[in-house]
Amino acid sequence: MNRTLADWLEYIERIHPKTIDMGLERIGEVARRLGLKRPAKKVITVGGTNGKGSTVAFIEAIARAAGRKVGAYTSPHLLAYNERIRIEGADAGDADLVAAFEAIEAARGDVALTYFEYGTLAALWLFERAGLDLAILEVGLGGRLDATNLVDADVAIITTVDLDHQDYLGDEREAIGVEKVGIARMGKALVLGDDDPPSSVLGHAYRIGASTWRISNDFFFEVLPVQLDAGGQSLPPRWRWREVGYRQELPMPRLAAPVQLRNAAVAIAALRALGKPVPRQAIAEGVANADVSGRLQRFDRGGVEVVVDVGHNPQAARALSAWLAANPVAGSVHAVYAALSDKDVAGVVAAMAPQVGQWHLAGLSGPRGGSVEALAGRLQGTPAALGSRHERLEDALREAHAQAAPGDRVIVFGSFHTAAAALQWLGHD
């Protein structure tokens, strides 16, 4: 039977009894049967609680500007599964994904694979055949037992360590750090984007002899003072990346949030840690042009600014709240919020509440979703519980936009599913 990509995606969603089944034995066995070797000459694996997708985008943009042939594997996707696998900046085509899934299915025999494991093997299979200079692999969950950890990284990145996925990773930063640092390798570089990484991360790196590159210790970034041109007009703002013996002034990223400077700084450090020089022009071009959907993505709808963000845990919410505070609007802020059932929704709302005037809650479908009443119940005692309630995200967004006046802002956030539904409602291609 000839399956379409849609057929394959429906099949791989239901073939394994669990949505998440962490461990490397099963995927390792299928990889051996497939004869997979190495997906590229060099590999960078990107783990962490927040900022992984943006960091991948910066690495990809800089490396491509430097003339390297690059593949990137990210998750989850927003609008189409093809987004998860990119080769030379282009999403994987349906036919390529189908060919990869057919090869995996022929090789796996009676080994059960999860949806994510199928996707990871498909990316590695396609990358190996593309003759890449660099493969960038985004960790799906944790690190130590994540499917991407099947590959030994030349450089591992941990962007941040904070509370998320506690059911799988633990209830404190030290325990979560143990899982995330599992992507580090003996004698290879480990780039840390957290100013204060857990001791579990540093201790493991020391024990295995990984070479750590710590932000604010081994490399630094800072916003430069505003400069004026000869006519007294302000020049575009710039920032500086530096380490001992090297510094470079750079344009501000297209990606808007202040935290994106940290992500860009980590990306530059990772590429420098590979050992092959990166031209200054490529760094500047990549930083300026890197883009990824659903990260403070802004739209104007009838004078109302609609902002879509995938932030879904308290750390991300604090960063989002800080951006709102630093970029106020003349009017009020409406928040459209929908979250998965395993998230710290009270912590997210507490971080966002000072910046929000009106809340609009929505339910989410799917195995980890839930009704809007269930969400409101978990938010009892918070300002969000007093907001309007809608079973569908589209209805919540429609009401928020109808209530907003020109000069107001609507912020839509809470999960990748929330952002995807918002982008579809907005007609984003």
Side-chain angles (χ1 to χ4, degrees):
M1 170 181 166
N2 292 323
R3 291 189 175 106
T4 65
L5 178 58
D7 294 333
W8 273 107
L9 295 178
E10 189 276 332
Y11 172 74
I12 67 176
E13 272 192 308
R14 61 179 170 79
I15 194 65
H16 195 286
K18 297 180 181 179
T19 302
I20 299 172
D21 189 6
M22 298 172 70
L24 299 177
E25 291 185 4
R26 290 171 295 101
I27 189 173
E29 174 58 30
V30 179
R32 285 188 289 273
R33 295 179 186 180
L34 281 166
L36 294 181
K37 295 180 176 63
R38 193 156 180 79
K41 296 173 184 175
K42 296 291 183 180
V43 176
I44 297 176
T45 300
V46 183
T49 303
N50 290 303
K52 296 188 295 293
S54 298
T55 302
V56 170
F58 281 119
I59 297 170
E60 181 183 18
I62 295 169
R64 294 193 65 224
R68 301 181 193 177
K69 190 173 184 180
V70 182
Y73 174 54
T74 60
S75 64
H77 60 275
L78 278 172
L79 301 178
Y81 186 91
N82 311 62
E83 299 166 21
R84 295 184 178 222
I85 301 173
R86 292 192 302 276
I87 297 175
E88 283 291 83
D91 294 345
D94 286 12
D96 291 332
L97 287 166
V98 166
F101 288 143
E102 288 175 345
I104 295 163
E105 185 70 3
R108 75 174 183 89
D110 60 356
V111 178
L113 295 172
T114 66
Y115 182 88
F116 185 75
E117 289 167 339
Y118 266 100
T120 303
L121 287 170
L124 299 179
W125 191 84
L126 290 170
F127 288 171
E128 188 172 316
R129 282 152 180 76
L132 301 177
D133 298 311
L134 174 65
I136 315 162
L137 308 177
E138 179 186 345
V139 171
L141 176 61
R144 182 175 63 92
L145 298 176
D146 188 76
T148 57
N149 205 29
L150 188 67
V151 181
D152 292 328
D154 297 286
V155 175
I157 294 173
I158 301 176
T159 55
T160 62
V161 179
D162 211 279
L163 301 182
D164 201 7
H165 300 293
Q166 289 97 313
D167 291 346
Y168 295 95
L169 305 180
D171 292 324
E172 57 174 14
R173 288 181 77 239
E174 292 295 338
I176 294 172
V178 170
E179 297 302 321
K180 295 198 179 294
V181 77
I183 64 175
R185 292 296 189 269
M186 182 183 300
K188 301 294 185 179
L190 171 64
V191 179
L192 302 176
D194 212 314
D195 284 333
D196 184 24
S199 58
S200 58
V201 170
L202 298 174
H204 181 78
Y206 176 78
R207 284 191 297 274
I208 68 171
S211 172
T212 58
W213 290 49
R214 293 178 60 181
I215 202 165
S216 303
N217 283 270
D218 303 299
F219 64 98
F220 305 84
F221 71 98
E222 58 244 347
V223 177
L224 297 172
V226 175
Q227 299 181 18
L228 305 179
D229 63 17
Q233 298 297 311
S234 297
L235 294 170
R238 294 176 69 80
W239 65 289
R240 178 189 292 127
W241 190 97
R242 62 183 173 88
E243 62 174 340
V244 175
Y246 182 95
R247 62 178 55 205
Q248 182 174 355
E249 292 188 9
L250 294 160
M252 288 296 182
R254 176 185 299 179
L255 295 167
V259 72
Q260 297 295 358
L261 289 183
R262 180 177 296 268
N263 294 332
V266 166
I268 294 167
L271 284 164
R272 287 180 61 80
L274 280 177
K276 184 178 180 180
V278 183
R280 288 174 178 267
Q281 180 57 36
I283 294 175
E285 182 180 328
V287 165
N289 294 331
D291 198 14
V292 58
S293 295
R295 277 69 168 181
L296 285 179
Q297 191 169 354
R298 289 179 278 182
F299 303 84
D300 183 285
R301 292 295 183 267
V304 175
E305 183 187 54
V306 181
V307 182
V308 180
D309 194 83
V310 299
H312 55 274
N313 54 46
Q315 185 185 55
R318 291 192 293 271
L320 183 54
S321 182
W323 180 83
L324 291 170
N327 298 271
V329 290
S332 60
V333 175
H334 296 253
V336 177
Y337 181 51
L340 298 175
S341 60
D342 57 352
K343 297 302 177 183
D344 179 5
V345 295
V348 168
V349 168
M352 290 289 292
Q355 307 302 327
V356 174
Q358 179 66 45
W359 288 88
H360 307 264
L361 302 181
L364 285 177
S365 59
R368 294 169 59 205
S371 70
V372 67
E373 293 303 325
L375 174 61
R378 294 163 61 207
L379 288 170
Q380 284 301 313
T382 73
L386 303 176
S388 65
R389 303 177 185 184
H390 308 267
E391 282 304 328
R392 298 172 66 248
L393 188 285
E394 296 85 349
D395 295 333
L397 182 51
R398 186 175 293 109
E399 178 185 89
H401 185 260
Q403 291 184 3
D408 287 355
R409 172 182 283 154
V410 176
I411 176 78
V412 191
F413 70 104
S415 78
F416 277 80
H417 301 279
T418 306
L423 292 176
Q424 289 172 333
W425 186 84
L426 288 161
H428 174 64
D429 183 358

